[in-house]
Amino acid sequence: VPQPVAPLPPPPPKTLEPKQWRKFLNSFRQSTPKGRRDYAMVLCLAELALRSQEVVGLTLDDVDWRAMTVRLAQTKQQRQRLLPLPASVAKALLSYLKHGRPSTDSRAFFVHHLPPVGQPLTAHTVRVLVRCAFARCGIPASGSYILRHTWATWAHRRGVGLKLIADLLGHRSLGSTTRYAHVNLEELRQ
C-alpha cells in the first residue's frame, strides 16, 4: 500500500544577525517620548519574545517591579503566562513611564502620543512601527515576528532546551518550537 508523502517541515524562520540587531535597536530615538515608547515595545517583542497583540495587551498592573516579572493575561492560547523581566527591558519600561508616557486614565501600558492621545495602541500599530524601523535601517525584514524568531533561535544556540523555549513562547506543543532546533541543525551542517 503506498504511503502518503509526509509534508515538508516549515522553512526555517529568518532571524537577525547580532550586527543587524544592534543597528535596529539604535534606530530608535530614545530622547523623545515616542522613541522611548517604541524602544520599550521593541524590547518586549525581542527580549520577552512577545507577540504584537501581547505587547498592546500589557497593562500597568501586569508588571511586578519587586519580583521583576511580567504577567501576560491576553495571549493567543487564552492562557496566562508569567515571564521574568530582564533588567534591560525593565530599564526601558521605567524610562518610558517616567519620561515618555502621556498622562491618561488608561491602564494600558503603551498608549498613543498623537490623537487619540492616551488611548491604547493596536497590534497593527506595533507591526507598522517595526516594519518602518526595519526600512529605516535597510534590513530586509517584513514584520515583528522576526524578533520573536530571533530570540528563540539565539536561546536554542545558547543551549536552552526546547521545552523551556516552548513555555516562554507560549506554545502548547513542542512541534511548534522544533523549527528553531531545525535552524540550529542547519547551521551545524554548514
Side-chain angles (χ1 to χ4, degrees), residues 43 48 51 58 60 62 65 70 77 99 115 117 120 126 164:
L43 285 184
L48 294 174
R51 296 174 178 94
L58 285 176
L60 297 172
D62 291 333
W65 298 103
V70 175
Q77 286 77 23
H99 309 290
V117 175
V126 174
L164 181 56

Side-chain angles (χ1 to χ4, degrees), residues 110-159:
F110 298 108
V111 296
H112 284 278
H113 287 238
L114 298 173
V117 175
Q119 294 299 307
L121 293 177
T122 64
H124 175 72
T125 304
V126 174
R127 289 189 289 269
V128 167
L129 90 84
V130 170
R131 275 196 299 270
C132 289
F134 280 133
R136 224 176 18 246
C137 301
I139 297 173
S142 60
S144 60
Y145 67 90
I146 194 171
L147 302 172
R148 187 173 161 86
H149 290 279
T150 299
W151 178 88
T153 302
W154 288 1
H156 193 258
R157 285 178 187 165
R158 290 189 306 266

Side-chain angles (χ1 to χ4, degrees), residues 10-164:
K14 296 185 184 325
T15 61
L16 296 176
E17 296 301 322
K19 186 176 181 180
Q20 291 175 311
W21 169 240
R22 286 188 297 278
K23 185 176 182 182
F24 177 70
L25 280 186
N26 290 334
S27 75
F28 293 93
R29 292 183 51 210
Q30 295 178 57
S31 59
T32 67
K34 185 179 177 300
R36 285 186 189 99
R37 180 201 65 192
D38 295 350
Y39 181 76
M41 284 192 304
V42 164
L43 285 184
C44 287
L45 290 167
E47 294 192 21
L48 294 174
L50 301 185
R51 296 174 178 94
S52 298
Q53 190 64 44
E54 293 168 341
V55 169
V56 297
L58 285 176
T59 67
L60 297 172
D61 307 312
D62 291 333
V63 179
D64 184 339
W65 298 103
R66 291 185 196 275
M68 291 294 284
T69 58
V70 175
R71 179 182 53 89
L72 298 177
Q74 300 177 21
T75 65
K76 185 177 174 182
Q77 286 77 23
Q78 306 301 316
R79 298 181 305 165
Q80 280 195 19
R81 289 193 338 254
L82 190 65
L83 300 174
L85 180 62
S88 57
V89 179
K91 182 179 175 184
L93 292 174
L94 276 173
S95 175
Y96 169 61
L97 286 178
K98 289 181 177 179
H99 309 290
R101 188 173 187 269
S103 179
T104 177
D105 292 335
S106 175
R107 298 303 292 167
F109 207 100
F110 298 108
V111 296
H112 284 278
H113 287 238
L114 298 173
V117 175
Q119 294 299 307
L121 293 177
T122 64
H124 175 72
T125 304
V126 174
R127 289 189 289 269
V128 167
L129 90 84
V130 170
R131 275 196 299 270
C132 289
F134 280 133
R136 224 176 18 246
C137 301
I139 297 173
S142 60
S144 60
Y145 67 90
I146 194 171
L147 302 172
R148 187 173 161 86
H149 290 279
T150 299
W151 178 88
T153 302
W154 288 1
H156 193 258
R157 285 178 187 165
R158 290 189 306 266
V160 176
L162 287 179
K163 174 67 173 119
L164 181 56

